[in-house]
Every structure is written in C-alpha cells, then in structure tokens.
Amino acid sequence: MAPSYKLTYFATKGWAEPIRFLFSYGDLDFEDVRIQHDQWLALKDQAPFGVLPMLEHEGRKAGQSVAISRYVAKKVQLAGKDDWEDLEIDAVVDSIKDGCLKISAIRAESDEEKRKAIKNNIVKEVFPNMLKCLERLTQENNGYLVLGRLTWADLYFVSLSDHLDIIAEYKVLKDYPNLEALKRNVLALSGIKKWVEKRPETSF
Amino acid sequence: MAPSYKLTYFATKGWAEPIRFLFSYGDLDFEDVRIQHDQWLALKDQAPFGVLPMLEHEGRKAGQSVAISRYVAKKVQLAGKDDWEDLEIDAVVDSIKDGCLKISAIRAESDEEKRKAIKNNIVKEVFPNMLKCLERLTQENNGYLVLGRLTWADLYFVSLSDHLDIIAEYKVLKDYPNLEALKRNVLALSGIKKWVEKRPETSF
C-alpha cells in the first residue's frame, strides 16, 4: 500500500528535511517526492501559497515547512503536553527559522562583493548570536533545546544544521559543546539513524 | 487586580498588534507594556531569544510573535478544531509572515538608491503576489482566509495590513475586494472595534 503521506520538495535537504526527520523518527511511512526546478513551474499553481514543501494526506494538501513540521510532530509525540509547552517549542523553532531565513539574503544579492559582505555578516554575527542563545538553552534544558526533553525543536535544529556548516564552510557547532552533543544524540535516535543512512546524497 | 497577561513590545503596532488583537477579541485583559529602544538594551538579556514581543504569564516568559499569537488564539477559541485545521491556519499565517518579513530588507539597505529598488520590488512584486493568493483564499473560504470561518489567521492579517499600506504609501487592499471586506468585518468585531478606538495612536 502506498504511504498515506506524500511530501513534495526539491531534490535537496532544505526546508523539507525537518519533516523527513519527523516522519522517520516516528517510523511513519511517507512518499518522498523530489522534483526538479522545471517540474516546479508546472506544479506551482497547485501548491497552496505557491511554495514547497507540500504535504498531501487523505486527499488534502498543505504548504509551509514549519506548519507541516508541527503537524507531523503531534503525530509522533514530539509536541508539547499543554498550550504553554507548545508555545515554548514554537518560540525556539521560529527563532531558528528566523536565523536560517537570513541566509537567503546571500542568494538575493547579485553583486559579488556585496554577497561576500552579507555572507560574512551571517557567519560572523547572525550564526554566533543564534548559536550562543541555543547553546545556553541546551545547557539549561538537560541537553535539549527546550522543556528538558526531546521535542520537535531538537529535530528541527539538527536537520538544518548541516546547511549552516555549508554556508560557513566549517563545522559551526564545534565551539558549542552542548549543541554538538545534542546533534550526536539526535543522529543516534534509531529512526533518524536509519533515515540518514538511506536518504539520497545531496550537497545541501 | 493586575491582568494575568503582560505583553512587552516597542511603542508601535508592529509584531505585537496581532497579539493585542487576539486578547481584545477574546476580551482577555492584558498589560500592554510599551518600551523605548533605550529601555530595550537593558531588558534584552532577560527576554527569551533576545526578541520582542515577550509574553509573561503566571511567572513564565515566552518570546516570538507568531508563537504567542497561536497560544492566545487557543485561549480565545480562534484556533483549529483538529490538527489538520491547525496546520491549514498555521500555513496561512506563516505565508503572511514570510511576506511581511521581506519588508525588513528595506531597512537593512543603507544605500538610498538600492533601498528604493528593494521597496519598489516589495510593493510591485512581493505584496501583489501575496495579496493575490490571499484574495483567492478569501473568495474560496466564505470571506475568511481559511476554513470558511473566522480564525486567528484573519486577525493576524488584518492587524498587520495597516503596515502594508504605510510601506506602499497607498491602501494596498483597494484592488482586492474580498480582502477589503474581510478587513471591514474584522474591524467591526466588538472586541477589535473597542481596541482600535482605545489603542495609543502610533504611526506604524
């Protein structure tokens, strides 16, 4: 039987990887559809809000990576136990997303010199500010980002962290021992380990 | 008795206004703390993730505007009735937030000519793309953005729409009759009407 979840994204990790991590953690079977940019042009009008990733489930479609991640997190019991816990998780996730979104300014700049300056600012200012804050949280929360236990915020962060390494051109977590340990622990979770071993190799 | 919710932000509408709308809609009393930028420097270390708005409730603190909005939305019965409904609302809200976030690129550019070009692109491309999509949704959803009924996505959008007008220097909704009607309807809700009448006048 085909999986009941179909996730469509480009042939990269990108904003779909947190969702793929969540499905894999919970051992929920999903169809991992990877399209080329020229296929996207034909599909764009069918996607809610014209963005990928897109989730299809029981004949319904939804877009937006964080929204889909939160939905899957509830299915695999990595959400909060009450509304305030959900608020705390959501706040960490949105802070990580805000930091990662700044990366897109690099691509948006066509002037080579300016692009270098933006990238330099992101690597030297944006990343350290974000990581210092996350390192402190992880230290205060029993090795996790929030609530003293594993939540989807941890999977969200670890699934995107390779991308930070690529932008910075070095292992950005090396100065943050608590975040490094968190990454190791998440990657050692049985469902995640299996996923990382079997996922298609892509450079970003 | 002091209100049990304390919301801290700058003396503007900005990212706090959706939260103020939600409290007001549900007639939940909240302390509306507005600080100056020099006060923020002293407060920054106490705020989770070093960002405003910040919500304090029962001795706990949380940051991030969308996360706080979602939390308050649940309290005032403007969230979804199941996980998929929440996903649909979240996706609309994140799309609006992504569009509005692009505005910050205007402030980030110091060169006057380049700033004009960025602003022009936002007004001529980013806003119309976003509003065309939201107009279609509102047409398909019984005059609301999603689920065919009032949700916190509607309050989120309307509370931020003044800001779009300011950036564009004209009433951006005038070409989108369904969105204009949505705005009128939200502003006519009793709690929102009272709030808009009593809120401090600020230019943005």
Side-chain angles (χ1 to χ4, degrees), chain A residues 82-101:
Chain A
D82 59 34
D83 292 345
W84 187 274
E85 285 199 357
D86 279 328
L87 164 55
E88 291 204 36
I89 297 171
D90 287 349
V92 175
V93 168
D94 280 353
S95 295
I96 296 167
K97 188 191 166 194
D98 285 356
C100 292
L101 263 181

mmCIF file of all heavy atoms in Angstrom, chain A residues 82-101:
data_model
loop_
_atom_site.group_PDB
_atom_site.id
_atom_site.type_symbol
_atom_site.label_atom_id
_atom_site.label_comp_id
_atom_site.label_asym_id
_atom_site.label_seq_id
_atom_site.Cartn_x
_atom_site.Cartn_y
_atom_site.Cartn_z
ATOM 1 N N ASP A 82 0.971 20.688 26.846
ATOM 2 C CA ASP A 82 -0.121 21.666 27.024
ATOM 3 C C ASP A 82 0.199 22.890 26.164
ATOM 4 O O ASP A 82 1.244 22.931 25.495
ATOM 5 C CB ASP A 82 -0.308 22.038 28.511
ATOM 6 C CG ASP A 82 0.950 22.628 29.131
ATOM 7 O OD1 ASP A 82 1.708 23.329 28.413
ATOM 8 O OD2 ASP A 82 1.192 22.411 30.323
ATOM 9 N N ASP A 83 -0.718 23.870 26.181
ATOM 10 C CA ASP A 83 -0.560 25.023 25.280
ATOM 11 C C ASP A 83 0.723 25.812 25.566
ATOM 12 O O ASP A 83 1.372 26.302 24.643
ATOM 13 C CB ASP A 83 -1.768 25.970 25.405
ATOM 14 C CG ASP A 83 -3.041 25.331 24.865
ATOM 15 O OD1 ASP A 83 -2.929 24.304 24.161
ATOM 16 O OD2 ASP A 83 -4.131 25.849 25.162
ATOM 17 N N TRP A 84 1.075 25.970 26.852
ATOM 18 C CA TRP A 84 2.292 26.734 27.162
ATOM 19 C C TRP A 84 3.527 26.003 26.672
ATOM 20 O O TRP A 84 4.459 26.603 26.116
ATOM 21 C CB TRP A 84 2.418 27.057 28.658
ATOM 22 C CG TRP A 84 3.573 27.985 28.877
ATOM 23 C CD1 TRP A 84 4.887 27.619 29.057
ATOM 24 C CD2 TRP A 84 3.551 29.414 28.848
ATOM 25 N NE1 TRP A 84 5.675 28.734 29.153
ATOM 26 C CE2 TRP A 84 4.883 29.855 29.041
ATOM 27 C CE3 TRP A 84 2.532 30.366 28.697
ATOM 28 C CZ2 TRP A 84 5.222 31.204 29.079
ATOM 29 C CZ3 TRP A 84 2.876 31.710 28.738
ATOM 30 C CH2 TRP A 84 4.200 32.120 28.920
ATOM 31 N N GLU A 85 3.568 24.665 26.821
ATOM 32 C CA GLU A 85 4.712 23.906 26.305
ATOM 33 C C GLU A 85 4.816 24.067 24.787
ATOM 34 O O GLU A 85 5.913 24.243 24.254
ATOM 35 C CB GLU A 85 4.577 22.419 26.672
ATOM 36 C CG GLU A 85 4.873 22.135 28.134
ATOM 37 C CD GLU A 85 5.198 20.656 28.413
ATOM 38 O OE1 GLU A 85 5.146 19.823 27.481
ATOM 39 O OE2 GLU A 85 5.527 20.357 29.565
ATOM 40 N N ASP A 86 3.668 24.024 24.113
ATOM 41 C CA ASP A 86 3.696 24.236 22.656
ATOM 42 C C ASP A 86 4.240 25.620 22.318
ATOM 43 O O ASP A 86 5.002 25.781 21.354
ATOM 44 C CB ASP A 86 2.296 24.053 22.059
ATOM 45 C CG ASP A 86 1.953 22.581 21.852
ATOM 46 O OD1 ASP A 86 2.886 21.792 21.579
ATOM 47 O OD2 ASP A 86 0.780 22.222 21.974
ATOM 48 N N LEU A 87 3.839 26.618 23.093
ATOM 49 C CA LEU A 87 4.351 27.981 22.882
ATOM 50 C C LEU A 87 5.871 28.006 23.022
ATOM 51 O O LEU A 87 6.577 28.593 22.193
ATOM 52 C CB LEU A 87 3.697 28.940 23.895
ATOM 53 C CG LEU A 87 4.334 30.314 24.107
ATOM 54 C CD1 LEU A 87 4.480 31.083 22.807
ATOM 55 C CD2 LEU A 87 3.506 31.140 25.101
ATOM 56 N N GLU A 88 6.391 27.350 24.038
ATOM 57 C CA GLU A 88 7.853 27.362 24.248
ATOM 58 C C GLU A 88 8.586 26.678 23.084
ATOM 59 O O GLU A 88 9.624 27.144 22.629
ATOM 60 C CB GLU A 88 8.204 26.686 25.576
ATOM 61 C CG GLU A 88 7.750 27.512 26.776
ATOM 62 C CD GLU A 88 8.561 27.189 28.024
ATOM 63 O OE1 GLU A 88 9.773 26.937 27.907
ATOM 64 O OE2 GLU A 88 7.957 27.190 29.118
ATOM 65 N N ILE A 89 8.041 25.554 22.621
ATOM 66 C CA ILE A 89 8.662 24.863 21.472
ATOM 67 C C ILE A 89 8.583 25.753 20.224
ATOM 68 O O ILE A 89 9.575 25.963 19.523
ATOM 69 C CB ILE A 89 7.948 23.516 21.193
ATOM 70 C CG1 ILE A 89 8.109 22.565 22.377
ATOM 71 C CG2 ILE A 89 8.502 22.875 19.916
ATOM 72 C CD1 ILE A 89 7.260 21.289 22.270
ATOM 73 N N ASP A 90 7.375 26.300 19.972
ATOM 74 C CA ASP A 90 7.180 27.134 18.771
ATOM 75 C C ASP A 90 8.147 28.320 18.752
ATOM 76 O O ASP A 90 8.655 28.702 17.694
ATOM 77 C CB ASP A 90 5.742 27.696 18.737
ATOM 78 C CG ASP A 90 4.719 26.619 18.397
ATOM 79 O OD1 ASP A 90 5.118 25.520 17.990
ATOM 80 O OD2 ASP A 90 3.513 26.890 18.555
ATOM 81 N N ALA A 91 8.381 28.917 19.930
ATOM 82 C CA ALA A 91 9.257 30.094 20.002
ATOM 83 C C ALA A 91 10.690 29.723 19.618
ATOM 84 O O ALA A 91 11.369 30.462 18.893
ATOM 85 C CB ALA A 91 9.204 30.707 21.397
ATOM 86 N N VAL A 92 11.157 28.559 20.077
ATOM 87 C CA VAL A 92 12.512 28.115 19.712
ATOM 88 C C VAL A 92 12.584 27.856 18.205
ATOM 89 O O VAL A 92 13.508 28.297 17.526
ATOM 90 C CB VAL A 92 12.902 26.826 20.488
ATOM 91 C CG1 VAL A 92 14.249 26.311 20.000
ATOM 92 C CG2 VAL A 92 12.962 27.099 21.981
ATOM 93 N N VAL A 93 11.582 27.159 17.693
ATOM 94 C CA VAL A 93 11.574 26.838 16.259
ATOM 95 C C VAL A 93 11.560 28.115 15.420
ATOM 96 O O VAL A 93 12.334 28.257 14.465
ATOM 97 C CB VAL A 93 10.367 25.935 15.915
ATOM 98 C CG1 VAL A 93 10.167 25.844 14.406
ATOM 99 C CG2 VAL A 93 10.560 24.547 16.511
ATOM 100 N N ASP A 94 10.704 29.070 15.773
ATOM 101 C CA ASP A 94 10.640 30.308 14.990
ATOM 102 C C ASP A 94 11.955 31.086 15.069
ATOM 103 O O ASP A 94 12.350 31.732 14.092
ATOM 104 C CB ASP A 94 9.469 31.189 15.459
ATOM 105 C CG ASP A 94 8.138 30.705 14.873
ATOM 106 O OD1 ASP A 94 8.148 29.791 14.029
ATOM 107 O OD2 ASP A 94 7.085 31.247 15.259
ATOM 108 N N SER A 95 12.618 31.028 16.197
ATOM 109 C CA SER A 95 13.913 31.718 16.306
ATOM 110 C C SER A 95 14.945 31.068 15.388
ATOM 111 O O SER A 95 15.734 31.763 14.745
ATOM 112 C CB SER A 95 14.425 31.682 17.748
ATOM 113 O OG SER A 95 13.560 32.406 18.573
ATOM 114 N N ILE A 96 14.930 29.739 15.338
ATOM 115 C CA ILE A 96 15.856 29.040 14.431
ATOM 116 C C ILE A 96 15.503 29.377 12.978
ATOM 117 O O ILE A 96 16.373 29.695 12.175
ATOM 118 C CB ILE A 96 15.794 27.507 14.657
ATOM 119 C CG1 ILE A 96 16.273 27.158 16.065
ATOM 120 C CG2 ILE A 96 16.628 26.770 13.600
ATOM 121 C CD1 ILE A 96 15.974 25.731 16.499
ATOM 122 N N LYS A 97 14.209 29.357 12.672
ATOM 123 C CA LYS A 97 13.797 29.662 11.295
ATOM 124 C C LYS A 97 14.207 31.094 10.912
ATOM 125 O O LYS A 97 14.724 31.324 9.820
ATOM 126 C CB LYS A 97 12.281 29.486 11.144
ATOM 127 C CG LYS A 97 11.840 29.604 9.689
ATOM 128 C CD LYS A 97 10.345 29.705 9.524
ATOM 129 C CE LYS A 97 9.994 30.156 8.111
ATOM 130 N NZ LYS A 97 8.608 30.584 7.959
ATOM 131 N N ASP A 98 13.977 32.055 11.815
ATOM 132 C CA ASP A 98 14.362 33.445 11.529
ATOM 133 C C ASP A 98 15.847 33.547 11.218
ATOM 134 O O ASP A 98 16.251 34.254 10.290
ATOM 135 C CB ASP A 98 14.032 34.358 12.725
ATOM 136 C CG ASP A 98 12.537 34.643 12.845
ATOM 137 O OD1 ASP A 98 11.768 34.207 11.964
ATOM 138 O OD2 ASP A 98 12.129 35.294 13.828
ATOM 139 N N GLY A 99 16.669 32.857 12.000
ATOM 140 C CA GLY A 99 18.118 32.875 11.769
ATOM 141 C C GLY A 99 18.458 32.267 10.415
ATOM 142 O O GLY A 99 19.235 32.834 9.652
ATOM 143 N N CYS A 100 17.851 31.115 10.124
ATOM 144 C CA CYS A 100 18.160 30.419 8.859
ATOM 145 C C CYS A 100 17.648 31.194 7.653
ATOM 146 O O CYS A 100 18.272 31.175 6.584
ATOM 147 C CB CYS A 100 17.559 29.015 8.865
ATOM 148 S SG CYS A 100 18.370 27.916 10.059
ATOM 149 N N LEU A 101 16.514 31.885 7.808
ATOM 150 C CA LEU A 101 15.943 32.657 6.693
ATOM 151 C C LEU A 101 16.901 33.737 6.214
ATOM 152 O O LEU A 101 16.901 34.110 5.040
ATOM 153 C CB LEU A 101 14.642 33.329 7.135
ATOM 154 C CG LEU A 101 13.331 32.629 6.810
ATOM 155 C CD1 LEU A 101 12.170 33.477 7.302
ATOM 156 C CD2 LEU A 101 13.177 32.333 5.323
#
